[in-house]
Coordinates of all heavy atoms in Angstrom, one line a residue:
M1 N -4.3 -112.3 -77.2 CA -3.5 -111.7 -78.3 C -3.3 -110.2 -78.1 O -4.3 -109.5 -77.9 CB -4.1 -112.0 -79.6 CG -3.3 -111.8 -80.8 SD -4.1 -112.1 -82.3 CE -2.9 -113.0 -83.2
T2 N -2.1 -109.7 -78.2 CA -1.9 -108.3 -78.1 C -1.2 -107.8 -79.3 O -0.5 -108.5 -80.0 CB -1.0 -108.0 -76.9 OG1 0.2 -108.7 -77.0 CG2 -1.7 -108.3 -75.5
F3 N -1.4 -106.5 -79.6 CA -0.8 -105.9 -80.7 C 0.6 -105.5 -80.4 O 0.8 -104.8 -79.4 CB -1.6 -104.7 -81.2 CG -1.0 -104.0 -82.3 CD1 -1.1 -104.5 -83.6 CD2 -0.3 -102.8 -82.2 CE1 -0.5 -103.8 -84.7 CE2 0.2 -102.1 -83.3 CZ 0.1 -102.6 -84.5
E4 N 1.6 -106.0 -81.1 CA 3.0 -105.7 -80.8 C 3.6 -104.8 -81.9 O 3.5 -105.1 -83.1 CB 3.8 -106.9 -80.7 CG 3.5 -107.7 -79.4 CD 4.1 -109.0 -79.3 OE1 5.1 -109.3 -80.1 OE2 3.6 -109.9 -78.6
C5 N 4.0 -103.6 -81.5 CA 4.6 -102.6 -82.4 C 6.1 -102.6 -82.3 O 6.6 -102.6 -81.2 CB 4.1 -101.2 -82.0 SG 4.9 -99.9 -82.8
D6 N 6.8 -102.7 -83.4 CA 8.3 -102.8 -83.3 C 8.9 -101.4 -83.5 O 10.1 -101.2 -83.6 CB 8.9 -103.7 -84.4 CG 8.6 -103.3 -85.8 OD1 8.1 -102.1 -86.0 OD2 8.9 -104.0 -86.7
R7 N 8.0 -100.4 -83.5 CA 8.5 -98.9 -83.5 C 9.2 -98.6 -84.8 O 10.2 -97.9 -84.8 CB 9.3 -98.6 -82.3 CG 8.5 -98.7 -81.0 CD 9.4 -98.4 -79.8 NE 8.6 -98.6 -78.6 CZ 9.2 -98.7 -77.4 NH1 10.5 -98.6 -77.3 NH2 8.4 -98.8 -76.3
C8 N 8.8 -99.2 -85.9 CA 9.5 -98.9 -87.2 C 9.2 -97.4 -87.6 O 9.9 -96.8 -88.4 CB 9.0 -99.9 -88.3 SG 7.3 -99.7 -88.8
G9 N 8.1 -96.9 -87.1 CA 7.7 -95.5 -87.3 C 7.0 -95.3 -88.7 O 6.6 -94.1 -89.0
L10 N 6.8 -96.3 -89.5 CA 6.3 -96.1 -90.8 C 4.9 -95.6 -90.8 O 4.5 -94.8 -91.7 CB 6.4 -97.4 -91.6 CG 7.8 -97.8 -92.0 CD1 7.8 -99.2 -92.6 CD2 8.4 -96.9 -93.0
C11 N 4.0 -96.0 -89.9 CA 2.7 -95.5 -89.9 C 2.6 -94.0 -89.6 O 1.8 -93.3 -90.1 CB 1.8 -96.3 -88.9 SG 2.5 -96.3 -87.2
C12 N 3.6 -93.5 -88.8 CA 3.6 -92.1 -88.4 C 4.3 -91.3 -89.5 O 4.4 -90.1 -89.4 CB 4.3 -91.9 -87.1 SG 3.6 -93.0 -85.8
Q13 N 4.9 -91.9 -90.5 CA 5.6 -91.2 -91.5 C 4.8 -91.1 -92.8 O 5.2 -90.5 -93.8 CB 6.9 -92.0 -91.9 CG 8.0 -91.9 -90.8 CD 9.1 -92.9 -91.0 OE1 9.3 -93.4 -92.2 NE2 9.8 -93.3 -90.0
H14 N 3.6 -91.7 -92.7 CA 2.7 -91.7 -93.9 C 1.3 -91.4 -93.5 O 0.3 -92.1 -93.8 CB 2.8 -93.1 -94.6 CG 4.2 -93.4 -95.1 ND1 4.7 -92.8 -96.2 CD2 5.2 -94.1 -94.6 CE1 6.0 -93.2 -96.4 NE2 6.3 -94.0 -95.4
I15 N 1.1 -90.4 -92.7 CA -0.2 -90.0 -92.2 C -1.1 -89.3 -93.2 O -2.2 -89.0 -92.9 CB -0.1 -89.2 -90.9 CG1 0.5 -87.9 -91.1 CG2 0.6 -90.0 -89.8 CD1 0.4 -86.9 -89.9
D16 N -0.5 -88.9 -94.3 CA -1.3 -88.2 -95.3 C -2.5 -89.0 -95.8 O -3.4 -88.4 -96.4 CB -0.4 -87.8 -96.5 CG 0.5 -88.9 -97.0 OD1 1.1 -89.6 -96.2 OD2 0.5 -89.1 -98.2
I17 N -2.5 -90.3 -95.6 CA -3.7 -91.1 -96.0 C -4.7 -91.2 -94.9 O -5.8 -91.8 -95.1 CB -3.3 -92.5 -96.5 CG1 -2.5 -93.2 -95.3 CG2 -2.4 -92.4 -97.7 CD1 -2.3 -94.7 -95.6
I18 N -4.5 -90.5 -93.8 CA -5.4 -90.6 -92.6 C -6.1 -89.2 -92.4 O -5.4 -88.3 -91.8 CB -4.7 -91.1 -91.4 CG1 -4.0 -92.4 -91.7 CG2 -5.7 -91.2 -90.2 CD1 -3.0 -92.9 -90.6
P19 N -7.3 -89.0 -92.8 CA -7.9 -87.7 -92.7 C -7.9 -87.1 -91.3 O -7.7 -85.9 -91.1 CB -9.4 -88.0 -93.2 CG -9.3 -89.2 -94.0 CD -8.2 -90.0 -93.4
Q20 N -8.1 -88.0 -90.3 CA -8.1 -87.5 -88.9 C -6.8 -86.9 -88.4 O -6.7 -86.2 -87.4 CB -8.5 -88.6 -87.9 CG -9.8 -89.3 -88.2 CD -9.7 -90.5 -89.0 OE1 -9.1 -90.5 -90.0 NE2 -10.3 -91.6 -88.5
L21 N -5.7 -87.1 -89.2 CA -4.4 -86.6 -88.8 C -3.9 -85.5 -89.7 O -2.7 -85.1 -89.6 CB -3.4 -87.8 -88.8 CG -3.7 -88.9 -87.7 CD1 -2.6 -90.0 -87.8 CD2 -3.7 -88.3 -86.3
K22 N -4.8 -84.9 -90.5 CA -4.4 -83.9 -91.4 C -3.6 -82.8 -90.8 O -2.6 -82.3 -91.3 CB -5.6 -83.4 -92.1 CG -5.3 -82.6 -93.4 CD -6.6 -82.2 -94.1 CE -6.3 -81.4 -95.3 NZ -7.5 -80.8 -96.0
A23 N -4.1 -82.3 -89.6 CA -3.4 -81.2 -88.9 C -2.0 -81.5 -88.4 O -1.3 -80.6 -88.1 CB -4.3 -80.8 -87.7
F24 N -1.7 -82.8 -88.4 CA -0.4 -83.2 -87.9 C 0.7 -83.4 -89.0 O 1.8 -83.7 -88.7 CB -0.5 -84.5 -87.0 CG -1.2 -84.3 -85.7 CD1 -1.4 -85.5 -84.9 CD2 -1.6 -83.1 -85.2 CE1 -2.1 -85.4 -83.7 CE2 -2.2 -83.0 -84.0 CZ -2.5 -84.1 -83.2
D25 N 0.2 -83.3 -90.2 CA 1.1 -83.6 -91.3 C 2.1 -82.5 -91.6 O 1.7 -81.3 -91.7 CB 0.3 -83.8 -92.6 CG 1.1 -84.4 -93.8 OD1 2.3 -84.3 -93.8 OD2 0.4 -84.9 -94.7
S26 N 3.4 -82.8 -91.5 CA 4.4 -81.8 -91.7 C 4.6 -81.3 -93.1 O 5.3 -80.4 -93.4 CB 5.7 -82.3 -91.1 OG 6.1 -83.4 -91.9
G27 N 3.8 -82.0 -94.0 CA 3.9 -81.6 -95.4 C 4.3 -82.7 -96.4 O 4.1 -82.7 -97.6
N28 N 5.0 -83.7 -95.8 CA 5.4 -84.9 -96.6 C 4.9 -86.2 -96.0 O 5.4 -87.3 -96.4 CB 7.0 -84.9 -96.6 CG 7.6 -85.0 -95.2 OD1 6.9 -85.2 -94.3 ND2 8.9 -85.0 -95.2
G29 N 3.9 -86.1 -95.2 CA 3.3 -87.3 -94.7 C 3.8 -87.7 -93.3 O 3.2 -88.5 -92.6
R30 N 4.9 -87.0 -92.9 CA 5.5 -87.3 -91.6 C 4.7 -86.5 -90.5 O 4.5 -85.3 -90.6 CB 6.9 -87.0 -91.6 CG 7.7 -87.4 -90.3 CD 9.1 -87.0 -90.3 NE 9.7 -87.3 -89.0 CZ 10.4 -88.4 -88.7 NH1 10.5 -89.3 -89.6 NH2 10.9 -88.6 -87.5
C31 N 4.4 -87.2 -89.4 CA 3.7 -86.5 -88.3 C 4.6 -85.6 -87.6 O 5.8 -85.9 -87.3 CB 3.1 -87.5 -87.4 SG 2.2 -86.8 -86.0
I32 N 4.1 -84.4 -87.2 CA 4.9 -83.4 -86.5 C 5.3 -83.9 -85.1 O 6.2 -83.4 -84.5 CB 4.2 -82.1 -86.4 CG1 2.8 -82.2 -85.8 CG2 4.1 -81.4 -87.8 CD1 2.1 -80.9 -85.5
H33 N 4.6 -84.9 -84.6 CA 4.9 -85.4 -83.3 C 5.8 -86.7 -83.3 O 6.1 -87.2 -82.2 CB 3.5 -85.8 -82.6 CG 2.7 -84.6 -82.3 ND1 3.1 -83.6 -81.4 CD2 1.5 -84.2 -82.9 CE1 2.1 -82.7 -81.4 NE2 1.2 -83.0 -82.3
L34 N 6.3 -87.1 -84.4 CA 7.2 -88.2 -84.5 C 8.6 -87.8 -84.2 O 9.1 -86.9 -84.9 CB 7.1 -88.9 -85.8 CG 7.9 -90.2 -86.0 CD1 7.5 -91.3 -85.0 CD2 7.9 -90.7 -87.4
L35 N 9.2 -88.3 -83.1 CA 10.6 -88.0 -82.8 C 11.5 -88.8 -83.6 O 11.2 -89.8 -84.2 CB 10.8 -88.3 -81.3 CG 9.8 -87.5 -80.3 CD1 9.9 -88.1 -78.9 CD2 10.2 -86.0 -80.3
S36 N 12.8 -88.4 -83.6 CA 13.8 -89.1 -84.4 C 14.0 -90.5 -83.8 O 14.5 -91.4 -84.5 CB 15.1 -88.4 -84.4 OG 15.5 -88.1 -83.1
S37 N 13.6 -90.7 -82.6 CA 13.7 -92.1 -82.0 C 12.5 -93.0 -82.4 O 12.4 -94.1 -82.0 CB 13.6 -92.0 -80.5 OG 12.4 -91.3 -80.1
N38 N 11.6 -92.4 -83.3 CA 10.4 -93.1 -83.7 C 9.4 -93.2 -82.6 O 8.4 -94.0 -82.8 CB 10.7 -94.5 -84.3 CG 11.1 -94.4 -85.8 OD1 10.9 -93.4 -86.4 ND2 11.6 -95.5 -86.3
L39 N 9.5 -92.5 -81.6 CA 8.5 -92.4 -80.5 C 7.6 -91.2 -80.8 O 8.0 -90.3 -81.5 CB 9.2 -92.4 -79.1 CG 10.0 -93.6 -78.8 CD1 10.6 -93.4 -77.4 CD2 9.2 -94.9 -78.8
C40 N 6.5 -91.2 -80.1 CA 5.5 -90.1 -80.3 C 5.6 -89.2 -79.1 O 5.6 -89.6 -78.0 CB 4.1 -90.8 -80.3 SG 2.8 -89.6 -80.3
D41 N 5.7 -87.9 -79.4 CA 5.9 -87.0 -78.3 C 4.6 -86.6 -77.6 O 4.7 -85.8 -76.6 CB 6.7 -85.7 -78.7 CG 6.0 -84.8 -79.6 OD1 4.8 -85.1 -79.9 OD2 6.6 -83.8 -80.0
I42 N 3.5 -87.1 -78.0 CA 2.2 -86.9 -77.3 C 1.6 -88.2 -77.0 O 0.4 -88.3 -77.0 CB 1.3 -86.0 -78.1 CG1 1.0 -86.6 -79.5 CG2 1.8 -84.6 -78.2 CD1 -0.2 -85.9 -80.2
Y43 N 2.4 -89.3 -76.9 CA 1.9 -90.6 -76.8 C 0.7 -90.8 -75.8 O -0.3 -91.4 -76.2 CB 3.0 -91.6 -76.5 CG 2.6 -93.1 -76.6 CD1 2.5 -93.7 -77.8 CD2 2.2 -93.8 -75.5 CE1 2.0 -95.0 -78.0 CE2 1.8 -95.1 -75.6 CZ 1.7 -95.7 -76.9 OH 1.3 -97.0 -77.0
P44 N 0.8 -90.3 -74.6 CA -0.3 -90.5 -73.7 C -1.6 -89.8 -74.1 O -2.7 -90.2 -73.8 CB 0.2 -89.9 -72.4 CG 1.7 -89.8 -72.5 CD 1.9 -89.6 -74.0
D45 N -1.4 -88.8 -75.0 CA -2.6 -88.0 -75.4 C -2.8 -88.1 -76.9 O -3.4 -87.3 -77.5 CB -2.4 -86.5 -75.1 CG -2.2 -86.3 -73.6 OD1 -3.1 -86.9 -72.8 OD2 -1.3 -85.7 -73.1
R46 N -2.2 -89.1 -77.5 CA -2.3 -89.3 -79.0 C -3.8 -89.4 -79.4 O -4.6 -89.9 -78.6 CB -1.5 -90.5 -79.5 CG -2.0 -91.8 -79.0 CD -0.9 -92.9 -79.2 NE -1.3 -94.2 -78.9 CZ -1.5 -94.7 -77.7 NH1 -1.4 -93.9 -76.6 NH2 -1.8 -96.0 -77.5
P47 N -4.1 -89.1 -80.7 CA -5.5 -89.2 -81.1 C -6.0 -90.6 -81.1 O -5.2 -91.6 -81.2 CB -5.4 -88.7 -82.6 CG -4.1 -87.9 -82.7 CD -3.2 -88.5 -81.7
E48 N -7.3 -90.8 -81.1 CA -7.9 -92.1 -81.1 C -7.4 -93.0 -82.2 O -7.1 -94.2 -82.0 CB -9.4 -92.0 -81.3 CG -10.2 -91.6 -80.1 CD -11.7 -91.4 -80.5 OE1 -12.0 -91.5 -81.7 OE2 -12.4 -91.0 -79.6
V49 N -7.3 -92.4 -83.4 CA -6.9 -93.2 -84.6 C -5.5 -93.8 -84.5 O -5.2 -94.7 -85.2 CB -7.1 -92.3 -85.8 CG1 -6.0 -91.2 -85.9 CG2 -7.1 -93.1 -87.1
C50 N -4.7 -93.2 -83.6 CA -3.3 -93.8 -83.4 C -3.3 -94.8 -82.3 O -2.2 -95.4 -82.0 CB -2.4 -92.6 -82.9 SG -2.3 -91.3 -84.1
N51 N -4.4 -95.1 -81.6 CA -4.5 -96.0 -80.5 C -5.2 -97.2 -80.8 O -6.5 -97.2 -80.9 CB -5.1 -95.2 -79.3 CG -5.1 -96.0 -78.0 OD1 -5.1 -97.2 -78.0 ND2 -5.0 -95.3 -76.9
V52 N -4.5 -98.3 -81.1 CA -5.1 -99.5 -81.6 C -6.2 -100.1 -80.6 O -7.3 -100.4 -81.0 CB -4.0 -100.6 -81.8 CG1 -4.6 -102.0 -82.1 CG2 -3.1 -100.2 -82.9
E53 N -5.8 -100.1 -79.3 CA -6.8 -100.6 -78.3 C -8.0 -99.7 -78.2 O -9.1 -100.3 -78.1 CB -6.1 -100.7 -77.0 CG -5.0 -101.8 -76.9 CD -4.3 -101.8 -75.6 OE1 -4.7 -101.2 -74.7 OE2 -3.2 -102.6 -75.6
A54 N -7.8 -98.4 -78.2 CA -9.0 -97.5 -78.1 C -9.9 -97.6 -79.3 O -11.1 -97.7 -79.1 CB -8.5 -96.1 -77.9
M55 N -9.3 -97.8 -80.5 CA -10.1 -97.9 -81.7 C -11.0 -99.1 -81.6 O -12.1 -99.1 -82.1 CB -9.2 -97.9 -82.9 CG -8.6 -96.5 -83.2 SD -9.8 -95.3 -83.7 CE -10.2 -95.7 -85.4
Y56 N -10.4 -100.2 -81.1 CA -11.2 -101.4 -81.0 C -12.4 -101.2 -80.1 O -13.5 -101.6 -80.4 CB -10.3 -102.6 -80.5 CG -11.1 -103.9 -80.5 CD1 -11.5 -104.5 -81.7 CD2 -11.5 -104.5 -79.3 CE1 -12.3 -105.7 -81.6 CE2 -12.3 -105.6 -79.2 CZ -12.7 -106.2 -80.4 OH -13.5 -107.3 -80.4
K57 N -12.1 -100.7 -78.9 CA -13.1 -100.6 -77.9 C -14.2 -99.6 -78.4 O -15.4 -99.8 -78.2 CB -12.5 -100.0 -76.6 CG -11.8 -101.1 -75.8 CD -11.2 -100.5 -74.5 CE -10.3 -101.6 -73.9 NZ -9.3 -101.0 -73.0
L58 N -13.8 -98.5 -79.1 CA -14.8 -97.5 -79.5 C -15.6 -97.9 -80.7 O -16.7 -97.6 -80.8 CB -14.0 -96.2 -79.7 CG -13.5 -95.5 -78.5 CD1 -12.5 -94.4 -78.9 CD2 -14.7 -94.9 -77.7
Y59 N -14.9 -98.5 -81.7 CA -15.5 -98.7 -83.0 C -15.7 -100.1 -83.5 O -16.4 -100.4 -84.4 CB -14.8 -97.8 -84.0 CG -14.7 -96.4 -83.7 CD1 -13.5 -95.8 -83.3 CD2 -15.9 -95.6 -83.6 CE1 -13.4 -94.5 -82.9 CE2 -15.8 -94.3 -83.3 CZ -14.6 -93.7 -82.9 OH -14.5 -92.4 -82.5
Y60 N -14.9 -101.0 -83.0 CA -14.9 -102.4 -83.7 C -15.4 -103.5 -82.8 O -15.8 -104.5 -83.3 CB -13.5 -102.7 -84.2 CG -13.0 -101.8 -85.3 CD1 -12.2 -100.7 -85.0 CD2 -13.4 -102.0 -86.6 CE1 -11.9 -99.8 -86.1 CE2 -13.0 -101.2 -87.6 CZ -12.3 -100.1 -87.4 OH -11.9 -99.2 -88.4
K61 N -15.4 -103.3 -81.5 CA -15.9 -104.3 -80.5 C -17.3 -104.6 -80.9 O -18.1 -103.7 -81.1 CB -15.8 -103.8 -79.1 CG -15.8 -104.8 -78.1 CD -15.5 -104.2 -76.7 CE -15.6 -105.3 -75.7 NZ -15.2 -104.8 -74.3
G62 N -17.7 -105.8 -81.0 CA -19.0 -106.2 -81.4 C -19.2 -106.4 -82.8 O -20.2 -106.9 -83.3
T63 N -18.2 -106.0 -83.6 CA -18.3 -106.2 -85.1 C -17.3 -107.3 -85.5 O -17.7 -108.2 -86.3 CB -18.0 -104.9 -85.9 OG1 -16.7 -104.5 -85.6 CG2 -19.0 -103.8 -85.5
I64 N -16.1 -107.3 -85.0 CA -15.2 -108.4 -85.2 C -14.5 -108.7 -83.9 O -14.5 -107.9 -83.0 CB -14.1 -108.0 -86.3 CG1 -13.3 -106.8 -85.9 CG2 -14.7 -107.8 -87.6 CD1 -12.1 -106.5 -86.8
S65 N -13.9 -109.9 -83.8 CA -13.2 -110.3 -82.6 C -11.9 -109.5 -82.5 O -11.4 -109.0 -83.4 CB -12.9 -111.8 -82.7 OG -11.9 -112.0 -83.6
E66 N -11.5 -109.4 -81.2 CA -10.2 -108.7 -81.0 C -9.1 -109.3 -81.7 O -8.2 -108.6 -82.2 CB -10.0 -108.6 -79.5 CG -8.8 -107.6 -79.1 CD -8.8 -107.3 -77.7 OE1 -9.3 -108.1 -76.8 OE2 -8.1 -106.3 -77.3
E67 N -9.1 -110.6 -81.8 CA -8.0 -111.4 -82.4 C -8.0 -111.0 -83.9 O -6.9 -110.7 -84.5 CB -8.3 -112.9 -82.3 CG -7.1 -113.7 -82.8 CD -7.3 -115.2 -82.5 OE1 -8.4 -115.6 -82.0 OE2 -6.4 -115.9 -82.8
E68 N -9.2 -111.0 -84.5 CA -9.2 -110.6 -86.0 C -8.8 -109.2 -86.2 O -8.1 -108.8 -87.2 CB -10.7 -110.8 -86.5 CG -10.9 -110.6 -88.0 CD -10.1 -111.6 -88.8 OE1 -9.7 -112.7 -88.4 OE2 -9.9 -111.3 -90.0
Y69 N -9.2 -108.3 -85.3 CA -8.9 -106.9 -85.4 C -7.4 -106.7 -85.3 O -6.8 -105.9 -86.1 CB -9.6 -106.1 -84.3 CG -9.2 -104.7 -84.1 CD1 -9.7 -103.7 -85.0 CD2 -8.3 -104.3 -83.1 CE1 -9.3 -102.4 -84.8 CE2 -7.9 -103.0 -82.9 CZ -8.4 -102.0 -83.8 OH -8.0 -100.7 -83.6
I70 N -6.7 -107.3 -84.4 CA -5.3 -107.2 -84.2 C -4.6 -107.8 -85.5 O -3.6 -107.2 -85.9 CB -4.8 -107.9 -82.9 CG1 -5.3 -107.0 -81.7 CG2 -3.3 -108.1 -82.9 CD1 -5.1 -107.6 -80.4
K71 N -5.1 -108.9 -85.9 CA -4.5 -109.5 -87.2 C -4.6 -108.5 -88.3 O -3.6 -108.3 -89.1 CB -5.3 -110.7 -87.5 CG -4.7 -111.7 -88.5 CD -5.5 -113.0 -88.5 CE -5.3 -113.6 -89.8 NZ -6.3 -114.7 -90.0
K72 N -5.7 -107.8 -88.5 CA -5.8 -106.8 -89.5 C -4.8 -105.6 -89.4 O -4.3 -105.1 -90.3 CB -7.3 -106.3 -89.6 CG -8.2 -107.2 -90.2 CD -9.6 -106.7 -90.3 CE -10.7 -107.6 -90.8 NZ -10.4 -108.1 -92.2
N73 N -4.7 -105.2 -88.1 CA -3.7 -104.1 -87.9 C -2.3 -104.6 -88.2 O -1.5 -103.8 -88.8 CB -3.8 -103.7 -86.4 CG -4.9 -102.6 -86.2 OD1 -4.6 -101.5 -86.3 ND2 -6.1 -103.1 -85.9
K74 N -2.0 -105.8 -87.8 CA -0.6 -106.4 -88.1 C -0.4 -106.4 -89.7 O 0.7 -106.2 -90.2 CB -0.5 -107.7 -87.5 CG -0.2 -107.7 -86.0 CD 0.0 -109.1 -85.4 CE 0.3 -109.0 -84.0 NZ 0.4 -110.3 -83.3
Q75 N -1.5 -106.8 -90.4 CA -1.4 -106.9 -91.8 C -1.1 -105.5 -92.4 O -0.4 -105.3 -93.4 CB -2.7 -107.4 -92.4 CG -2.8 -108.9 -92.2 CD -4.2 -109.5 -92.5 OE1 -5.2 -108.7 -92.7 NE2 -4.4 -110.8 -92.6
G76 N -1.7 -104.5 -91.8 CA -1.5 -103.1 -92.2 C 0.0 -102.7 -92.0 O 0.6 -102.1 -92.9
C77 N 0.6 -103.1 -90.9 CA 2.0 -102.9 -90.7 C 2.8 -103.5 -91.7 O 3.8 -102.9 -92.2 CB 2.4 -103.4 -89.3 SG 1.6 -102.6 -87.9
I78 N 2.5 -104.8 -92.0 CA 3.3 -105.5 -93.0 C 3.2 -104.9 -94.4 O 4.2 -104.7 -95.1 CB 2.8 -107.0 -93.1 CG1 3.2 -107.7 -91.8 CG2 3.4 -107.7 -94.3 CD1 2.6 -109.1 -91.6
Q79 N 2.0 -104.4 -94.7 CA 1.8 -103.7 -96.0 C 2.7 -102.4 -96.1 O 3.4 -102.1 -97.1 CB 0.4 -103.3 -96.2 CG -0.5 -104.5 -96.6 CD -2.0 -104.1 -96.7 OE1 -2.4 -103.0 -96.4 NE2 -2.8 -105.1 -97.0
L80 N 2.8 -101.7 -94.9 CA 3.6 -100.5 -94.9 C 5.1 -100.9 -95.0 O 5.8 -100.2 -95.8 CB 3.4 -99.7 -93.6 CG 2.2 -98.9 -93.5 CD1 2.0 -98.4 -92.0 CD2 2.3 -97.6 -94.4
K81 N 5.5 -101.9 -94.3 CA 6.9 -102.3 -94.4 C 7.3 -102.8 -95.8 O 8.3 -102.5 -96.3 CB 7.1 -103.5 -93.4 CG 7.1 -103.0 -92.0 CD 7.2 -104.2 -91.0 CE 6.9 -103.9 -89.6 NZ 7.7 -102.9 -88.9
N82 N 6.4 -103.5 -96.5 CA 6.6 -104.0 -97.8 C 6.7 -102.8 -98.8 O 7.5 -102.9 -99.7 CB 5.5 -105.0 -98.3 CG 5.6 -106.3 -97.6 OD1 6.7 -106.7 -97.1 ND2 4.5 -107.1 -97.6
K83 N 6.0 -101.8 -98.5 CA 5.9 -100.7 -99.4 C 7.1 -99.7 -99.2 O 7.7 -99.2 -100.1 CB 4.6 -99.9 -99.3 CG 4.3 -98.9 -100.3 CD 2.9 -98.4 -100.3 CE 2.7 -97.4 -101.4 NZ 1.3 -96.8 -101.3
Y84 N 7.4 -99.4 -97.9 CA 8.3 -98.4 -97.6 C 9.6 -98.8 -96.9 O 10.6 -98.0 -97.0 CB 7.7 -97.3 -96.7 CG 6.5 -96.7 -97.3 CD1 5.2 -96.9 -96.9 CD2 6.6 -95.8 -98.4 CE1 4.1 -96.3 -97.4 CE2 5.5 -95.1 -99.0 CZ 4.3 -95.4 -98.5 OH 3.2 -94.8 -99.1
A85 N 9.7 -99.9 -96.3 CA 10.9 -100.2 -95.5 C 12.1 -100.4 -96.5 O 11.9 -101.0 -97.5 CB 10.7 -101.5 -94.7
K86 N 13.2 -99.9 -96.0 CA 14.4 -99.9 -96.9 C 15.2 -101.2 -96.6 O 15.2 -101.7 -95.5 CB 15.3 -98.7 -96.7 CG 14.6 -97.5 -97.2 CD 15.4 -96.2 -96.7 CE 14.6 -95.0 -97.0 NZ 14.5 -94.1 -95.9
Ligands
SF4_1 S1 3.8 -99.5 -88.8 FE1 3.1 -101.0 -87.2 S2 5.0 -101.7 -86.3 FE2 5.5 -99.9 -87.5 S3 5.4 -98.2 -85.9 FE3 3.4 -98.4 -86.9 S4 2.2 -99.7 -85.6 FE4 4.3 -100.0 -85.1
SF4_2 S1 0.3 -88.5 -83.0 FE1 2.0 -89.9 -82.4 S2 1.2 -91.9 -82.8 FE2 -0.1 -90.5 -84.0 S3 0.8 -90.3 -86.0 FE3 1.7 -88.7 -84.8 S4 3.6 -89.6 -83.9 FE4 2.3 -91.3 -84.6

């Protein structure tokens, strides 16, 4: 199972709820690194918290299965879409 991102950009437009990304907040929750194309301009060097696979390996492996972890991430995307998608 792999995590599939549709590049809606919503997670990068609401980073004010993520303490690790405080320095990237442009003031309204939008990340300063989010391009108008919804891509990240520092993608290869993005912070750990933005990297689903890295976060699993570093912090969640051994606590929950990868399948469950990806499922939870997808649920997070759905919550953002339900809340903010127009
Ligand atoms: S909210 Fe989910 S689907 Fe949308 S850009 Fe972020 S990771 Fe991708
Ligand atoms: S650093 Fe990149 S992936 Fe992380 S919130 Fe900003 S635009 Fe999104």
Side-chain angles (χ1 to χ4, degrees):
M1 192 181 221
T2 54
F3 179 74
E4 287 173 20
C5 168
D6 66 9
R7 299 177 183 166
C8 71
L10 289 172
C11 55
C12 308
Q13 293 168 20
H14 300 281
I15 64 168
D16 46 312
I17 58 169
I18 305 171
Q20 298 97 311
L21 297 178
K22 197 175 176 188
F24 290 174
D25 191 341
S26 60
N28 60 3
R30 186 182 174 93
C31 180
I32 56 174
H33 293 293
L34 183 64
L35 301 169
S36 56
S37 58
N38 276 346
L39 297 180
C40 170
D41 72 1
I42 57 165
Y43 190 78
D45 301 311
R46 67 197 185 285
E48 281 174 358
V49 72
C50 303
N51 186 328
V52 173
E53 288 174 13
M55 289 294 283
Y56 181 71
K57 284 181 188 153
L58 288 166
Y59 303 110
Y60 294 96
K61 200 172 179 176
T63 62
I64 59 172
S65 71
E66 191 168 15
E67 189 175 4
E68 185 64 18
Y69 171 77
I70 287 172
K71 196 171 152 190
K72 283 181 185 297
N73 274 272
K74 284 183 177 174
Q75 285 168 350
C77 297
I78 290 167
Q79 282 173 2
L80 280 170
K81 289 174 194 298
N82 286 341
K83 191 169 180 183
Y84 297 112
K86 292 169 191 134

